Amino acid sequence: MKKPMRILSGIQPSGILHIGNYFGMMRPAIALQDEGEALYFIADYHALTSLRDPIALRENSRRVALDFLACGLNPDKAALFLQSDVPQVTELAWILSTVTPVSRLELAHSYKDKVARGAAAAAGLFTYPVLMAADILIYDSDIVPVGKDQKQHIEITRDIAARINETFGSARKGPILKLPEPRIQKQTEVVPGIDGQKMSKSYGNTIDIFGDEKETRKRVMSIVTDSTLVEAPKNPDASTIMQLYGLVASKDEVQEMREQFRKGGRGYGDFKKQLFEKLWDYFAPMRKRRDEILRDKNYIDDVLERGARRANAIAHEVMKRVRAAVGL
Ligand code: ADP
Ligand code: TRP
């Protein structure tokens, strides 16, 4: 029998989840839970590269778990766990680092961007992609659903796996590590924020998935637009409002708004109100589910514990193979 495809992804608990995270990573990951064996984790080791508040880290991690479950992650199908509940990833990261060229890490955009924006050039930030490679390789992952900004990290992962296979593999025993494929959804690869740049918690331009109504409305109403007058025709292709509306409205509704843009006679404020209503309705069932989960005190801990058990069982097998191959 063919082995089911293994799907893996992670998200850092470094802040509050926004709709860029949802459409770029969470929704595709949730859809994939029906297509294979899915493993999703909360990257708390990675978050330590930017968050140095233990209480906030613990709270954010639980909150990400809650939000992921509220958005439709089904723990009977997909394992959800904390990265740090599988400490063997740090062992694998060490082994991987021994074959990773420094020059390869020096080319990573995310390190350069973060340091350019003022982050301290810590070794952990520099070797972030090696730990991420370990996260992926320790589960023999086939597919990694992520947003476009993570593509380079998956390329580095493939490169490191190939190096391990070349260095320690043999024709007789076959490869040691499996090379994963990124799964990046074209339509949602970069969700724009309220300023039109990529939505990101580090740019302060987010619309949160579970923000309160007043705040969410305020965020939507502050989407940056040009100064075209109410009566004048507007370009739907250059509009953040249209792009976000396209994520939550039906095809016909999108078509209709596009026509209204072209015709003129309606102001941006009006379009933003319409976007807000759609967005608010889109996430209504998830808000309801979230309230239900919150009523069951042990639910999140139970899910994370079950997920960690599953993840550890796989990681244990792969590490046995790696340790044997490298001589430990
Ligand atoms: P942030 O940029 O807000 O810090 P993360 O780096 O924690 O977000 O991203 C978590 C996941 O969400 C990743 O898979 C990432 O590719 C995806 N993602 C984040 N922002 C966006 C966006 N604006 N559009 C599409 N995907 C995104
Ligand atoms: N670097 C990812 C991000 O910032 C999070 C992450 C850590 C991840 N390890 C992973 C994503 C492994 C996919 C697979 O979004």
Side-chain angles (χ1 to χ4, degrees):
M1 208 176 77
K2 212 171 148 241
K3 263 196 164 170
M5 171 171 81
R6 193 166 286 150
I7 305 138
L8 172 116
S9 195
I11 189 156
Q12 289 193 71
S14 47
I16 306 280
L17 297 175
H18 53 74
I19 65 169
N21 298 137
Y22 178 76
F23 290 105
M25 182 275 199
M26 297 162 73
R27 190 175 66 169
I30 289 165
L32 280 167
Q33 71 190 0
D34 294 315
E35 286 181 35
E37 181 182 12
L39 299 163
Y40 300 133
F41 67 92
I42 297 154
D44 50 359
Y45 282 139
H46 274 117
L48 278 176
T49 59
S50 61
L51 188 62
R52 274 76 186 239
D53 174 343
I55 294 170
L57 180 57
R58 217 165 276 129
E59 274 177 13
N60 285 356
S61 297
R62 286 185 63 80
R63 190 171 167 169
V64 170
L66 166 66
D67 291 355
F68 221 140
L69 291 162
C71 285
L73 186 143
N74 178 348
D76 295 328
K77 292 182 180 164
L80 178 67
F81 57 99
L82 295 178
Q83 181 185 32
S84 62
D85 278 342
V86 189
Q88 298 184 82
V89 292
T90 60
E91 183 188 358
L92 181 58
W94 172 255
I95 296 171
L96 301 181
S97 77
T98 62
V99 301
T100 306
V102 167
S103 57
R104 187 77 173 95
L105 300 176
E106 276 168 348
L107 294 174
H109 311 303
S110 98
Y111 175 75
K112 284 190 285 194
D113 290 353
K114 285 176 184 160
V115 172
R117 276 188 278 119
L125 193 61
F126 186 65
T127 58
Y128 182 114
V130 182
L131 180 58
M132 180 157 163
D135 289 328
I136 297 171
L137 300 172
I138 205 165
Y139 304 112
D140 278 341
S141 312
D142 296 294
I143 286 190
V144 187
V146 279
K148 190 179 169 196
D149 57 346
Q150 297 297 316
K151 188 164 178 250
Q152 191 185 36
H153 287 150
I154 317 284
E155 284 159 5
I156 297 175
T157 301
R158 290 174 59 89
D159 187 37
I160 296 175
R163 280 170 197 272
I164 290 280
N165 291 343
E166 274 159 32
T167 313
F168 299 105
S170 66
R172 191 168 58 83
K173 291 194 210 132
I176 300 155
L177 295 171
K178 185 182 253 179
L179 271 59
E181 298 285 342
R183 176 73 64 90
I184 298 166
Q185 221 122 57
K186 204 78 203 116
Q187 323 82 285
T188 54
E189 62 178 20
V190 186
V191 175
I194 58 173
D195 58 356
Q197 285 191 76
K198 175 197 170 244
M199 187 177 290
S200 170
K201 47 188 171 292
S202 30
Y203 302 160
N205 63 357
T206 57
I207 298 172
D208 295 340
I209 307 174
F210 295 110
D212 75 21
E213 185 167 1
K214 198 166 152 221
E215 177 61 21
T216 307
R217 188 192 306 270
K218 206 169 113 201
R219 304 291 289 173
V220 172
M221 294 312 289
S222 45
I223 290 173
V224 175
T225 51
D226 58 30
S227 52
T228 314
L229 297 175
V230 173
E231 310 77 56
K234 301 169 183 67
N235 180 3
D237 296 319
S239 163
T240 305
I241 304 174
M242 264 322 317
Q243 276 189 65
L244 295 178
Y245 194 65
L247 298 171
V248 288
S250 70
K251 252 197 176 140
D252 289 348
E253 289 165 331
V254 171
Q255 200 44 40
E256 198 182 320
M257 192 185 272
R258 287 182 70 83
E259 279 159 24
Q260 291 175 349
F261 257 71
R262 286 211 196 85
K263 234 173 40 204
R266 262 189 97 185
Y268 285 124
D270 246 19
F271 289 122
K272 289 182 197 174
K273 273 191 205 136
Q274 191 175 333
L275 166 62
F276 167 75
E277 297 299 334
K278 264 276 158 246
L279 199 63
W280 192 251
D281 287 352
Y282 184 93
F283 288 104
M286 301 172 211
R287 282 194 298 275
K288 183 160 167 274
R289 176 84 188 108
R290 193 171 186 272
D291 288 342
E292 284 164 11
I293 296 172
L294 279 172
R295 263 181 253 132
D296 183 345
K297 283 253 167 307
N298 300 322
Y299 187 77
I300 298 175
D301 286 338
D302 290 349
V303 166
L304 292 175
E305 202 186 305
R306 251 198 300 155
R309 245 183 277 132
R310 175 81 199 108
N312 268 291
I314 302 169
H316 181 72
E317 289 307 311
V318 176
M319 279 316 289
K320 259 205 314 213
R321 194 165 79 217
V322 173
R323 288 177 129 251
V326 303
L328 293 171

